Amino acid sequence: MAMKESGIEWVGSIPDTWDVIPNKYIMHKEKNLCEKWTGEDVMSLTMNGVIVRDLQNPTGKMPATFDGYQYIEDGDLLMCLFDIDVTPRCIGKVTHNGVTSPAYSNFKTHDNASRDYYYYYYLMVDNTKELLHLAKNLRHSFTEEQLGSLKVPMPPLTEQQVIADYLNEKCSKIDDIIAEANASVEEYKELKQAVIDNATMTGIHDSEMKYTDYVWFPEMPKSWNLVLASLLFREDVRPIDANDVSLSLSQVDGLIPTDDMSERSLKSATHDNWKHVIPDDLVLNRFKGHLGVFFASKYTGMVSFHYGVYHAIRDDVYAKYYEYLFHSTTYKNIFALKSNGITVGLQNLSNGNFYSVKILHPTLDEQIEIVKYLDKRTAEIDSLIAEKESLIKDLESYKKSLIYEVVTGKRRVV
């Protein structure tokens, strides 16, 4: 197979039977505005393609009216040519008639071009954001004129369609496997949550139960007690040490050492207001207590004053058990209810409201036993999740590579 240089930076070589022409000769923009919306399906460009929005259960921004939206038709190519740096997906093929935001650019391909071939071509370009360095303004936008002047590969029309059909089939199969793997990940996450819920709320043995007067759970093991958090934990602000490392708290990684710069937005010019942390302190992100961002520290260091730092005031408290307990569905719901108002979209769990929560308190031996069990079970589930996520990552990488090789003719499918 003889190849030649395309002259297109992100394409490289192409078959010598292909041409290279400006994009304006294979598609044109068309904007047909809807003066009065009469119930047409409202479409949106997403990572999953151009989809019909669920107007009964809307997510994201919702305009007051869809009057002034533009009509789009099955067979069109929809592009987002602004905010290229932050828009997850800038290209989608329209497979359903409807209306969409006039901010999008809608294109119709000419008779010499396969819509699906150029969808895959621009998907390849979007995967690596090749147009970003050409978008010079503050909004990182790209005009239709700029797009029209871009050079693109031009295989013979029959070959374009063969390539498109091949990629439709192959990518559909890859997407199905990815969807199954994503579903498995969600199932494993639900299983992990259920394991934590069951172990922290009822123990790991078939225990005799007793009734409680707490609305959140009507019963608990007979050997357990309900204790106010204020009788188990206290936040005493300890002075930080000159050698303290900066620690950061996240929902995914827990409490870990971090570069000071990553915390710059959370702190004052000095560390005067920061809090000293020692191993087994429970550290809370006050704005995300309802998400379970409440971890037992493994480190000595310091955290931003935005965090809560609690240490046990009784000897029969095993911090790791309470980390798991506060990750349970029940306690995340309790913390959501106990949090005050909304600050930048986040709820704030104050010391006073935390102290007023009634806490499940097994015997120390039971706390330790539950933690050993949960450490083992959650590690097993996390391993299964990691395997699926690795498979998804590999498949997504393979799909991108496949699209690149086929749309540029480096892998012939004709």
Side-chain angles (χ1 to χ4, degrees):
M1 176 178 63
M3 303 289 285
K4 65 181 181 184
E5 283 302 314
S6 68
I8 305 170
E9 177 185 350
W10 50 83
V11 170
S13 60
I14 58 174
D16 63 0
T17 57
W18 293 16
D19 293 325
V20 175
I21 64 173
N23 186 76
K24 63 184 176 181
Y25 294 120
I26 57 109
M27 66 175 68
H28 67 276
K29 181 182 177 183
E30 190 167 295
K31 179 173 283 191
N32 182 13
L33 294 180
C34 165
E35 291 186 13
K36 186 69 177 177
W37 180 64
T38 56
E40 294 86 354
D41 284 334
V42 178
M43 317 292 286
S44 186
L45 177 58
T46 74
M47 284 296 290
N48 295 319
V50 180
I51 64 170
V52 179
R53 294 193 67 175
D54 183 354
L55 302 185
Q56 301 302 315
N57 301 287
T59 57
K61 295 180 180 179
M62 182 66 69
T65 177
F66 299 114
D67 295 348
Y69 266 40
Q70 62 176 320
Y71 292 109
I72 54 177
E73 298 178 329
D74 181 9
D76 293 347
L77 268 179
L78 196 61
M79 290 190 181
C80 178
L81 297 179
F82 58 92
D83 294 339
I84 296 174
D85 57 328
V86 295
T87 301
R89 179 59 70 227
C90 293
I91 180 73
K93 55 183 177 180
V94 181
T95 59
H96 191 89
N97 293 351
V99 296
T100 194
S101 168
Y104 292 133
S105 298
N106 189 48
F107 292 91
K108 293 187 181 293
T109 51
H110 300 165
D111 291 342
N112 63 343
S114 159
R115 187 278 305 267
D116 281 11
Y117 170 79
Y118 284 101
Y119 160 70
Y120 283 114
Y121 173 77
Y122 277 107
L123 183 60
M124 174 200 76
V125 173
D126 193 37
N127 281 335
T128 48
K129 299 297 181 188
E130 298 294 349
L131 300 185
L132 183 56
H133 73 283
L134 300 177
K136 304 297 184 182
N137 53 41
L138 291 177
R139 287 293 302 273
H140 292 100
S141 60
F142 208 65
T143 67
E144 287 81 13
E145 290 74 20
Q146 285 176 298
L147 185 70
S149 66
L150 282 181
K151 297 293 182 64
V152 295
M154 182 69 175
L157 182 59
T158 55
E159 193 168 347
Q160 291 179 38
Q161 195 55 55
V162 170
I163 289 172
D165 290 344
Y166 174 86
L167 287 175
N168 282 338
E169 179 184 0
K170 295 296 184 182
C171 291
S172 177
K173 290 179 179 178
I174 294 170
D175 289 341
D176 286 345
I177 299 171
I178 290 174
E180 290 177 5
N182 275 318
S184 293
V185 168
E186 292 307 309
E187 290 172 0
Y188 286 135
K189 288 180 178 179
E190 290 175 5
L191 173 62
K192 179 179 177 181
Q193 185 65 64
V195 167
I196 291 172
D197 289 349
N198 291 335
T200 57
M201 303 296 292
T202 62
I204 58 176
H205 302 297
D206 291 330
S207 303
E208 184 179 354
M209 307 294 283
K210 65 182 178 182
Y211 291 108
T212 77
D213 60 355
Y214 204 29
V215 66
W216 288 98
F217 39 88
E219 57 183 13
M220 64 181 178
K222 192 171 183 179
S223 61
W224 295 16
N225 291 304
L226 268 177
V227 182
L228 283 172
S230 60
L231 300 179
L232 297 180
F233 301 100
R234 180 64 53 186
E235 180 174 46
D236 291 330
V237 179
R238 314 181 193 97
I240 62 174
D241 186 271
N243 297 320
D244 278 349
V245 297
S246 178
L247 303 172
S248 181
L249 188 63
S250 82
Q251 190 173 354
V252 175
D253 300 317
L255 191 68
I256 56 173
T258 185
D259 183 350
D260 248 355
M261 292 304 294
S262 67
E263 290 283 290
R264 187 68 63 188
S265 64
L266 295 176
K267 68 176 186 174
S268 57
T270 70
H271 291 101
D272 290 346
N273 294 324
W274 281 44
K275 300 173 182 179
H276 186 65
V277 177
I278 61 175
D280 292 331
D281 280 347
L282 279 173
V283 182
L284 161 71
N285 182 330
R286 296 194 185 282
F287 300 125
K288 295 183 179 180
H290 61 295
L291 299 177
V293 188
F294 212 140
F295 288 88
S297 178
K298 300 176 183 177
Y299 305 99
T300 297
M302 59 181 174
V303 296
S304 161
F305 58 87
H306 290 79
Y307 296 138
V309 179
Y310 302 98
H311 69 274
I313 56 177
R314 285 171 46 163
D315 293 336
D316 59 347
V317 172
Y318 189 46
K320 184 67 176 178
Y321 165 76
Y322 288 96
E323 174 186 309
Y324 278 124
L325 181 68
F326 296 157
H327 288 177
S328 71
T329 302
T330 295
Y331 274 91
K332 285 188 284 189
N333 289 335
I334 291 173
F335 293 149
L337 186 67
K338 288 286 188 177
S339 296
N340 290 324
I342 301 294
T343 304
V344 197
L346 300 174
Q347 299 165 296
N348 180 24
L349 181 62
S350 66
N351 271 351
N353 284 341
F354 170 63
Y355 290 146
S356 70
V357 174
K358 290 182 179 179
I359 304 297
L360 280 171
H361 187 58
T363 65
L364 181 60
D365 287 343
E366 287 177 287
Q367 293 176 44
I368 294 171
E369 190 177 21
I370 290 169
V371 167
K372 287 181 179 178
Y373 167 80
L374 285 176
D375 282 349
K376 182 175 184 295
R377 287 290 286 124
T378 58
E380 292 170 349
I381 297 171
D382 285 341
S383 178
L384 294 171
I385 291 173
E387 287 179 14
K388 291 295 183 181
E389 289 178 338
S390 178
L391 172 63
I392 292 167
K393 184 177 180 181
D394 289 344
L395 286 170
E396 289 174 340
S397 178
Y398 170 69
K399 179 182 173 182
K400 290 177 182 179
S401 177
L402 177 69
I403 291 171
Y404 168 75
E405 291 178 2
V406 174
V407 299
T408 61
K410 296 175 179 60
R411 178 187 297 197
R412 301 304 296 269
V413 297
V414 178

